[in-house]
Amino acid sequence: FKYPADWEIRARPCRGCRQQDDRHATWGIHIAKGLMIAQFRMDLQDDEERHKGLHTRTVLERTPMESGFAKPAEVVFEHMAIDVTGQDERQKVLLMLNDTASTNRRHERPMWSVFYSRGDFTSSLTSTDGFPKMLGYDEDHVSLEDARAIMRSNEYRQLRTLMLSVRAQT
């Protein structure tokens, strides 16, 4: 994928993985100030059981991709309200490269944001909490109005362009 010259990609090794077969490593995408705004995982392993609560989603933008992936994918920007019993409601945003079929079923697997780069590899490219934070928002309290303002920012356009530039290599 393509990214601005003043951004940096930093590898974070997978804990507990063998070094020579570290396909579960995470690469952080950092802006010039050092803040990680997105992350890429080649083959995602995630414990979805820790993601509890009712997720109410509003998809604000969907853009189909032609990238040579194993399954159709799209770049999606969504706002979500997360209600966990006994806790204050959180409101978050997520910009992600997502499997098109999975976008329509996000209520079944609320935090499962993946695309199939090749075969059964469940790759992941998503924004992090650092993304709204760099724009001055509290990452746990981003209103729907705030989400729409984020979409108008240059940083949103840059990160979206990065995601749209992802291509599978054979």
Side-chain angles (χ1 to χ4, degrees):
F1 54 84
K2 299 174 185 175
Y3 57 94
D6 61 342
W7 290 13
E8 182 181 359
I9 310 299
R10 298 181 195 161
R12 295 186 345 212
C14 176
R15 292 187 178 103
C17 295
R18 294 184 322 220
Q19 205 58 353
Q20 67 270 24
D21 186 30
D22 193 2
R23 71 181 202 201
H24 304 294
T26 299
W27 287 270
I29 300 167
H30 298 258
I31 60 172
K33 297 176 185 173
L35 185 64
M36 185 171 73
I37 62 166
Q39 63 183 0
F40 171 78
R41 296 178 188 175
M42 182 173 68
D43 194 13
L44 180 65
Q45 284 188 329
D46 194 18
D47 176 14
E48 223 181 329
E49 290 300 311
R50 66 186 167 95
H51 303 296
K52 300 290 185 190
L54 176 64
H55 292 66
T56 304
R57 294 186 155 55
T58 303
V59 174
L60 298 169
E61 185 172 43
R62 293 172 77 157
T63 307
M65 296 188 60
E66 297 292 330
S67 305
F69 297 145
K71 296 181 182 181
E74 60 191 358
V75 173
V76 178
F77 184 60
E78 71 179 21
H79 174 269
M80 61 185 132
I82 306 167
D83 187 12
V84 178
T85 304
Q87 297 179 13
D88 291 337
E89 182 183 77
R90 293 179 292 154
Q91 293 188 62
K92 296 183 150 307
V93 291
L94 185 64
L95 181 60
M96 63 188 144
L97 179 50
N98 206 42
D99 171 60
T100 299
S102 295
T103 299
N104 298 323
R105 296 188 326 267
R106 289 208 18 104
H107 62 283
E108 296 171 16
R109 301 184 82 178
M111 297 304 286
W112 191 246
S113 306
V114 300
F115 63 100
Y116 296 89
S117 54
R118 58 174 89 168
D120 292 330
F121 272 121
T122 50
S123 302
S124 173
L125 178 57
T126 62
S127 61
T128 64
D129 285 345
F131 179 59
K133 188 175 181 177
M134 82 170 172
L135 296 169
Y137 298 97
D138 177 338
E139 65 271 13
D140 288 328
H141 299 95
V142 180
S143 70
L144 189 54
E145 182 180 314
D146 294 338
R148 288 187 172 105
I150 287 171
M151 289 178 69
R152 293 188 296 271
S153 72
N154 186 50
E155 292 84 358
Y156 173 83
R157 286 188 295 278
Q158 286 180 308
L159 187 53
R160 184 176 172 279
T161 298
L162 177 150
M163 290 186 183
L164 288 168
S165 76
V166 173
R167 298 290 181 263
Q169 290 185 333
T170 57

